[in-house]
Amino acid sequence: DLEALQHVSGISIIRNSVEPSVVLVRGLPDIATTLNGRQIFTSAGRFVSLPDLPAELLARVDVKKSSSANDLEGGIAGLIDVTLHRPFDFKEPQLAGGAKYSYGSLSKKYSPNVSLLASNRWDTGVGELGLLVDGSYSKRLVSNDTITQITQQVLRRTVPGVTATGPA
């Protein structure tokens, strides 16, 4: 969960309305993120969108606050490596999940957040096989009250041939 990272010293998060959206390392936003040690490309750019990953799928999140020569380029502020669970991480069958409903006081609606992880491994004639399935569903209904100040400027120009009392 992205909000758990803010408890690590030197790391803070920026919220977009109520949702955590950007991770800062020592106040800098330029962070390289990898998935299982590998760089990935998404529609949002060269980083993993941490809020999109269910907590059950995460095995570990490593944060490096300073880059070294053997790190990926592009993460001036640091590097976050997200390690996901794999089928052979578990000795026995696993079933983990979570469900919560949040109530929006402004939207007056409930928002569901449900996730489930199931994993098992089998000894077969061809060797050991493993299967891990994880899924999540989240629907966030958020309503914001905002006040914006609109300033109006009136430009007054003199028009040739027109006086304050009308056309000349």
Side-chain angles (χ1 to χ4, degrees):
D1 194 40
L2 184 59
E3 292 179 346
L5 282 178
Q6 70 183 347
H7 298 291
V8 177
S9 112
I11 296 182
S12 57
I13 60 170
I14 295 177
R15 295 179 183 277
N16 181 7
S17 296
V18 296
E19 293 294 319
S21 59
V22 178
V23 178
L24 302 174
V25 175
R26 294 185 181 149
L28 299 172
D30 190 17
I31 300 168
T33 56
T34 57
L35 186 66
N36 292 331
R38 295 192 172 128
Q39 187 175 19
I40 65 166
F41 296 89
T42 65
S43 62
R46 292 175 39 180
F47 58 88
V48 178
S49 179
L50 295 174
D52 294 340
L53 296 173
E56 290 82 16
L57 191 57
L58 301 178
R60 187 176 74 232
V61 177
D62 297 322
V63 178
K64 291 178 72 177
K65 295 180 188 175
S66 59
S67 298
S68 61
N70 59 352
D71 289 336
L72 295 171
E73 68 176 44
I76 296 170
L79 173 76
I80 296 177
D81 183 31
V82 178
T83 304
L84 303 179
H85 281 298
R86 297 178 183 184
F88 296 112
D89 289 349
F90 306 109
K91 299 268 185 217
E92 298 184 12
Q94 295 291 314
L95 184 64
K100 74 176 181 179
Y101 281 86
S102 303
Y103 181 73
S105 60
L106 294 176
S107 65
K108 306 282 191 232
K109 294 183 180 179
Y110 286 96
S111 301
N113 186 348
V114 180
S115 61
L116 181 70
L117 177 136
S119 178
N120 200 359
R121 50 199 284 185
W122 302 271
D123 268 330
T124 66
V126 295
E128 193 171 21
L129 296 177
L131 176 68
L132 185 139
V133 177
D134 184 67
S136 67
Y137 173 78
S138 179
K139 184 175 183 180
R140 188 73 175 173
L141 303 169
V142 177
S143 178
N144 292 334
D145 282 344
T146 59
I147 298 174
T148 56
Q149 181 179 358
I150 300 173
T151 58
Q152 186 176 22
Q153 286 185 328
V154 178
L155 296 176
R156 295 179 189 231
R157 296 184 188 158
T158 57
V159 178
V162 176
T163 64
T165 57

